[in-house]
Amino acid sequence: MNEPVKRILIVDDHPLVRAGLASLIAAEPDLEVCGEAETLREGLQLVRDLTPDLTVVDLSLEDGNGLELIKRLRTHDAEIRILVCSVHEEALFAERAIGAGALGYINKHKGIDEVIAAVRQTLAGRIYLSADMQQRFVEGFAQKRVPAQSPVELLTDRELQVFILIGEGLSNGRMAERLHLSVKTIETHREKIKRKLQLSSAAELMRYAVQWQLEQG
């Protein structure tokens, strides 16, 4: 008896990325894309409406952050299976994604076979990480905490969201709207980020954030 086709929802704000992922998935006879969303809000609604077997989530969304979406989806359904597919550095974001409730993390630059392997492994309810990241996790358990390799790793999830938006050139007001926070809260986060990154001015913070974004590709 044939196994039922597994249904996958894609949440990504780039149409070309969604089309590429959908094409990869459609090439597998036992997988299908049941829906696509480009915003956090649409993703939440489609998960409720479609109950996919797996939700593939990007970290950068037009109206929010993928980590926030993961947390909200897990609140809605503690058993939901989520795979993060992002261009951001795995060493910085994979642990945060797993901590938020995702089952796996894969970089968009990986090959077709690796992407499908990540999809299948997380569909099966197993953690998927690169070999390097798995080793980092093992070292983390052995040493309690792997020393931060970049000052950015010292930021909390919310501070990291603000830092990314600073690098995208958003004003405090726009960031407040995007993250559903007050402008004063954004200003507080900016000050904490400057201290952790040992920066003395808003201009230095902007340059640092923009350069970091460029390095992420």
Side-chain angles (χ1 to χ4, degrees), residues 59 65-75 77-78 80 82 84 93-103 137 157 161:
L59 289 180
N65 181 276
L67 293 175
E68 182 65 26
L69 174 59
I70 293 166
K71 293 173 184 177
R72 293 173 68 175
L73 289 175
R74 291 283 292 181
T75 298
D77 179 3
I80 192 168
I82 302 168
V84 172
F93 285 94
E95 185 174 355
R96 296 171 190 264
I98 299 299
L103 274 175
F137 265 70
D157 288 350
Q161 291 174 19

Side-chain angles (χ1 to χ4, degrees), residues 106-201:
I106 187 163
N107 193 285
K108 289 180 179 178
H109 299 309
K110 295 295 185 181
I112 293 173
D113 290 345
E114 289 179 85
V115 173
I116 294 300
V119 167
R120 292 191 180 284
Q121 191 152 318
T122 49
L123 270 170
R126 300 192 300 272
I127 296 289
Y128 182 91
L129 295 168
S130 70
D132 288 345
M133 199 63 216
Q134 290 178 39
Q135 182 61 32
R136 184 176 170 86
F137 265 70
V138 170
E139 291 172 355
F141 282 115
Q143 302 173 12
K144 301 299 182 182
R145 170 70 180 160
V146 177
Q149 296 182 1
S150 162
V152 177
E153 294 186 45
L154 300 174
L155 303 180
T156 66
D157 288 350
R158 181 64 82 186
E159 289 165 356
L160 184 58
Q161 291 174 19
V162 172
F163 179 72
I164 290 171
L165 296 181
I166 291 171
E168 294 177 3
L170 271 66
S171 66
N172 286 355
R174 288 287 307 283
M175 284 189 276
E177 292 176 5
R178 177 79 67 88
L179 299 177
H180 307 291
L181 300 171
S182 69
V183 172
K184 184 174 179 58
T185 299
I186 295 295
E187 292 171 349
T188 298
H189 284 311
R190 290 180 70 113
E191 290 304 311
K192 290 180 179 178
I193 293 168
K194 282 196 297 183
R195 286 199 300 272
K196 288 184 178 181
L197 301 183
Q198 299 182 354
L199 303 172
S200 59
S201 69

